[in-house]
Amino acid sequence: MMKIDLNKPEYYVNRELSWLKFNLRVLREAGVRNLPLLERLRFVAISASNLDEFFMVRVAGLIEQKAAGVDHVDAAGLNVEDQLRNIALSAHNQMKLKYRYFFALVNELEKYAIRFSRVKDVEPDQRRELENYYQEMVFPVLTPMAVDAARPFPFLANKSLNIAVELRDQKGEQKIAFVQVPSVLPRFISLMGRDGERSYVFLEDLIMEHCQDLFKGLTIVDMVSFRITRDSDLEVEEDATRDLMKEIERSLRKRKRGAAVRLEINATDDKYLKDFLVENLDLEPRDVYEIQGPLDLTFLNKFIDQPGMDQWKFTPYTGQQPEELPDYEDLFGKIREHDILLHHPYESFDPIVKLVSEAAEDPQVLAIKQTLYRVSGNSPLVAALARAAENGKQVTALVELKARFDEENNIVWARRLEKAGCHVIYGLMGLKTHSKIILIVRKEADGIKRYVHLGTGNYNDKTAKLYTDLGLLTANDQYGQDASAFFNVLSGYSEPPVFNKLVMAPIGLREKIYELVDREIAHVKAGGTGYIAAKMNSLIDQPVIRKFYEASQAGVKIDLIVRGICGLRPGIKGVSENITVRSIIGRFLEHSRVYYFANNGNEELYLSSADMMPRNLNDRVELLFPVERKAHIDRVKEFLDLCLKDNVGAHGMLANGTWRRAYPHGRKRISVQAAMMQRAKSHAPKKSMPMEQRLKPMVRREE
């Protein structure tokens, strides 16, 4: 049998195009009719926000490569220009679909007396209300910016909304000016009609209606609103700096002035303004997105979250009391009894906050060490760490200053923690610390005891209500020793240790994955069976994909659950016919990383902060850790099984790289997220039930 070359481009999907397909799956949730109306609209907003970041980082990076003359060909056989051309084609089609969904959903809203209106279409009394609002709130903050020989093309901030105005003076000479739509004011103005009808007017429309006031003595020829997306990737010279925080702050200032990579502009019959912008922003025609509708649909998030909108949204869900924690009394004692598995957002994130808060006040606690990658705006965990330091405990906080788009937030937290007396570290040179770990050192009657939390998601109490993640609480000495050794590596000059339980990237996690896959291959070759189930956010690392291909060729069955980017093509004869790939889009963002290996009956299951991407395996400090209690393994397996049976939010990937939505087709509807919510409710300690439920009589059902 001829050996197949597993490096052939046709066996791989380009990273950027795969990401665009993921965003398309998100966007298409807006077309799912059995979802609440405003939740469908929220998927439009999410896809818009995703696309912004994609252009700011990924497209910007490709444009920089092209400018530098880089002609690298990726695993899928595409060079930089190929990628930019295909991205533009896909992104333009996606923008068109996004606005089709937007207008369709806005039309549905009108059935409920909720509409977006032009200034010229509102009732006279509403017009007067708008006039007052403009004079009192808007006009004072407007600054018209002329463009001429003395006043060159101004800098327009990233993602800012602007109005370009073409003018003629009394001599007939053409002039150009800009008006920035103030970001300090709400994007839309709410108006109540006489019959309870709610109308919403866009701020830019109100400004354009009064634009003549800003240019007295001139004639307005044309006006068009536009928005610029700029290169926002940070360039941090770690090797050349003694103060990483100052270097990050310098780069953040620079970010705001990055080169333009995309122009969104309202469609106009007059090409002059568009051409003027394209020329001055140094853009290519494919970088221009002409839009029939309001720009920047991310505003929809604020629109949806207004008071009085609940009837068109999901029924609120509150994370349940974890089934292994009937109460939060004596958390240390409960963790000593046995490891505790937590599944967010189905189970509450409160135990983590409670644990660190109690540790801050507990006189027996000597030290707390924690990694912080992304935290909430008013983080109770950061507050608890600060209190702990103020209470005289040894507190070490690793704050990752290079967490993309959270840099400013993390600088604020780092300074607050330093002020409170915490030892703040920023990780290792050239590496992002993405691992999620807490270590609490406590003096007890029988000596020093270490308590550890390990997770797949960030220590963010806000996103823990929206992202699905798994976490483990343990007092196992081997985990405790590993946690101490891990923090010693981060804070000192310690050599990477030989861990008991933990596996760390970039110095062993990749090799561990290879080892586990190779073991499944060996079982098959020895006449046994091999099976792998892996859930992650992204799979793009070519060597890992190649290893999965080798396993498939050997007869190992592999089920992959990949939310976002996937560079692997399943179902290729002779290469990947034993591999399935599915993605689940739902109410919550699937974020947990789970790696299961059947091991010929001696199953092993690992959780991790790491996806299978080069950046995670090569350029980040990540952790992989085993789940060892049989009850926990069974519980996670049940979750994985539901992921694989989901026919509500699941999409399957075909061999050609396209995705097909799963449908029940007359079978029972299975939603992993709905099932996990129900499971969390049914397994929650009974005393956490509302009183009316607790007092409800039990009815015996005949079997």
Side-chain angles (χ1 to χ4, degrees), residues 663-702:
Y663 291 100
H665 295 302
R667 301 179 304 237
K668 180 183 176 184
R669 287 170 58 89
I670 300 172
S671 162
V672 59
Q673 295 191 355
M676 297 311 298
M677 281 190 281
Q678 187 53 49
R679 186 194 191 283
K681 288 177 181 177
S682 62
H683 285 75
K686 295 298 180 281
K687 71 176 189 178
S688 67
M689 287 184 173
M691 184 63 72
E692 62 269 20
Q693 285 184 248
R694 280 188 271 150
L695 297 178
K696 191 175 179 181
M698 294 292 289
V699 179
R700 185 176 183 272
R701 295 177 184 267
E702 297 294 331

Side-chain angles (χ1 to χ4, degrees), residues 133-392:
Y133 181 80
Y134 176 81
Q135 296 298 338
E136 292 176 13
M137 299 296 297
V138 182
F139 180 74
V141 296
L142 295 180
T143 304
M145 296 175 284
V147 182
D148 53 30
R151 291 164 290 193
F153 193 94
F155 177 79
L156 302 168
N158 181 36
K159 297 194 294 182
S160 64
L161 193 57
N162 302 274
I163 300 165
V165 188
E166 182 186 354
L167 303 151
R168 279 201 172 84
D169 64 15
Q170 294 175 349
K171 297 178 182 177
E173 291 181 6
Q174 190 178 43
K175 297 184 180 295
I176 298 288
F178 297 127
V179 181
Q180 191 160 55
V181 179
S183 59
V184 294
L185 295 176
R187 177 70 188 285
F188 51 86
I189 303 109
S190 176
L191 302 167
M192 289 298 293
R194 283 189 294 270
D195 300 323
E197 182 181 89
R198 283 182 278 184
S199 292
Y200 296 91
V201 172
F202 288 104
L203 180 58
E204 62 268 30
D205 187 43
L206 182 60
I207 294 170
M208 291 170 83
E209 194 71 17
H210 290 81
C211 231
Q212 189 62 68
D213 299 343
L214 301 171
F215 303 103
K216 295 186 185 298
L218 298 166
T219 302
I220 295 177
V221 178
D222 192 23
M223 289 185 289
V224 64
S225 55
F226 69 96
R227 180 175 183 257
I228 301 166
T229 313
R230 295 187 177 276
D231 180 349
S232 298
D233 207 12
L234 282 191
E235 295 179 5
V236 181
E237 301 291 336
E238 289 188 68
D239 294 337
T241 184
R242 290 179 174 270
D243 191 327
L244 182 59
M245 187 179 289
K246 285 184 179 176
E247 175 64 14
I248 295 282
E249 288 178 317
R250 183 196 66 78
S251 296
L252 285 169
R253 289 192 294 271
K254 191 176 173 182
R255 168 190 279 173
K256 295 173 182 176
R257 306 190 69 84
V261 295
R262 179 181 60 164
L263 171 66
E264 296 167 274
I265 184 168
N266 276 141
T268 175
D269 294 332
D270 188 342
K271 285 182 60 187
Y272 179 77
L273 286 174
K274 185 184 79 171
D275 293 344
F276 180 83
L277 288 167
V278 169
E279 182 183 348
N280 281 276
L281 294 168
D282 195 23
L283 293 170
E284 295 188 27
R286 68 185 175 201
D287 304 324
V288 181
Y289 292 74
E290 291 193 56
I291 291 162
Q292 298 275 3
L295 305 183
D296 188 13
L297 296 184
T298 62
F299 84 89
L300 287 168
N301 281 316
K302 288 186 177 176
F303 171 76
I304 293 162
D305 290 335
Q306 293 178 103
M309 297 290 200
D310 289 351
Q311 62 181 302
W312 302 291
K313 297 194 291 189
F314 287 127
T315 302
Y317 177 81
T318 302
Q320 301 294 296
Q321 185 91 13
E323 61 182 271
E324 296 181 42
L325 288 172
D327 56 58
Y328 296 154
E329 301 302 317
D330 190 20
L331 283 174
F332 292 114
K334 289 182 174 67
I335 300 169
R336 277 196 307 274
E337 287 176 19
H338 58 71
D339 293 355
I340 294 168
L341 184 74
L342 300 172
H343 198 174
H344 315 299
Y346 312 111
E347 294 179 321
S348 174
F349 190 71
D350 289 349
I352 311 304
V353 175
K354 181 79 170 168
L355 183 68
V356 180
S357 298
E358 283 190 2
E361 308 295 341
D362 188 340
Q364 292 177 259
V365 168
L366 306 177
I368 307 172
K369 303 183 182 187
Q370 182 172 355
T371 57
L372 297 169
Y373 190 76
R374 299 190 197 275
V375 297
S376 63
N378 191 23
S379 172
L381 285 168
V382 172
L385 292 174
R387 282 201 313 276
E390 289 162 355
N391 290 337

Side-chain angles (χ1 to χ4, degrees), residues 509-519 521 541-547 617:
L509 203 157
R510 175 187 293 279
E511 291 75 16
K512 181 67 175 180
I513 294 294
Y514 291 171
E515 176 194 319
L516 293 166
V517 176
D518 282 337
R519 190 177 64 187
I521 295 172
D541 185 84
Q542 190 178 3
V544 170
I545 294 172
R546 201 161 50 236
K547 182 61 70 175
L617 300 173

Side-chain angles (χ1 to χ4, degrees), residues 630-656:
K630 178 68 165 59
H632 291 166
I633 294 173
D634 289 346
R635 189 174 155 194
V636 179
K637 278 173 62 183
E638 179 190 352
F639 165 61
L640 291 174
D641 186 55
L642 282 166
C643 290
L644 296 170
K645 290 178 178 174
D646 190 300
N647 55 26
V648 173
H651 303 69
M653 189 181 187
L654 306 181
N656 62 4

